[in-house]
Amino acid sequence: MFDLVLHHRYVNVEPHDLSGNSNCGYGTVSRGPGTEGAQTAAVFDGVGDRIYVPPSPSLTRPGGIRVDLVVNLEAFEQRRTLIEGYLSFAFGVEEDGSLGASVYRNLEWAGVQSIPGLVPLNTWVHVSFVYTDDGVMTLTLDGTVVAERYWRMGRADGAGWPFGVSIGAWPDGDKRLWKGRMEEVMFWRAA
């Protein structure tokens, strides 16, 4: 069972959390066309754009993870971060077009990765990463499981201080930045 702790839809200029946990975030990203053509997507330039969500009790608690995003990638060229919880988990697209995610626990990262060339450019897709406390990691693209791995690590660490959760960028530097659009971000922690 998971609790929804962060839910962003980028209709407004400032990120607003629909989960009721006040994990709104800050960022200077512009708006652009979403899946239906209206200005419902956050546009990330791949250079400095990001949305930063400060640590909160709902984000820093340890446990299983589920993240779902509706995104449109414009360029590979490097690893592109979808969402990352500082010293907790990372989810993104590698420069070879594979979808990848990892979890941090006890000073160790363990991850799962799809085949190269999976994520299309300039196409809206729904991507998801799930990590359960019993060690199952699953990646999906448009509802189809594209990679799975078992790595018994126990509960993932919570998104740590001081960086919390970063959407579209590596938490503590202008690296691995998303280039494209995001329409929706949903993040759950184990209940």
Side-chain angles (χ1 to χ4, degrees):
M1 223 33 215
F2 289 94
D3 290 331
L4 183 63
V5 296
L6 181 153
H7 182 190
H8 289 183
R9 288 191 59 83
Y10 299 112
V11 176
N12 301 315
V13 173
E14 291 296 322
H16 179 72
D17 183 16
L18 302 171
S19 77
N21 289 290
S22 298
N23 291 315
C24 296
Y26 308 94
T28 57
V29 295
S30 60
R31 296 294 172 271
T35 55
E36 302 296 321
Q39 300 292 99
T40 58
V43 179
F44 295 78
D45 65 7
V47 178
D49 290 342
R50 69 176 66 229
I51 295 172
Y52 162 71
V53 183
S56 71
S58 62
L59 300 177
T60 58
R61 74 177 193 228
I65 295 164
R66 177 178 172 178
V67 289
D68 286 270
L69 299 96
V70 177
V71 299
N72 187 316
L73 178 63
E74 292 178 6
F76 296 119
E77 301 163 358
Q78 64 175 337
R79 184 181 192 189
R80 303 287 184 180
T81 300
L82 289 161
I83 183 170
E84 185 164 339
Y86 184 64
L87 296 179
S88 176
F89 71 95
F91 184 33
V93 178
E94 301 297 328
E95 65 182 313
D96 65 1
S98 61
L99 199 58
S102 55
V103 171
Y104 189 73
R105 170 89 171 136
N106 295 328
L107 303 176
E108 179 182 10
W109 285 96
V112 60
Q113 193 164 339
S114 75
I115 60 168
L118 179 74
V119 179
L121 289 177
N122 302 306
T123 304
W124 284 103
V125 292
H126 178 187
V127 294
S128 179
F129 167 56
V130 177
Y131 173 75
T132 62
D133 285 344
D134 59 359
V136 177
M137 295 181 210
T138 306
L139 297 173
T140 62
L141 177 81
D142 290 332
T144 300
V145 174
V146 295
E148 201 165 35
R149 182 177 184 192
Y150 176 74
W151 193 286
R152 187 161 180 83
M153 297 175 67
R155 298 184 314 162
D157 292 345
W161 293 87
F163 298 109
V165 171
S166 289
I167 299 168
W170 201 47
D172 54 347
D174 287 334
K175 298 179 181 178
R176 305 174 185 158
L177 291 123
W178 186 255
K179 184 169 177 61
R181 291 171 283 159
M182 291 189 189
E183 187 171 69
E184 185 170 25
V185 177
M186 300 176 80
F187 173 34
W188 290 262
R189 291 308 302 234

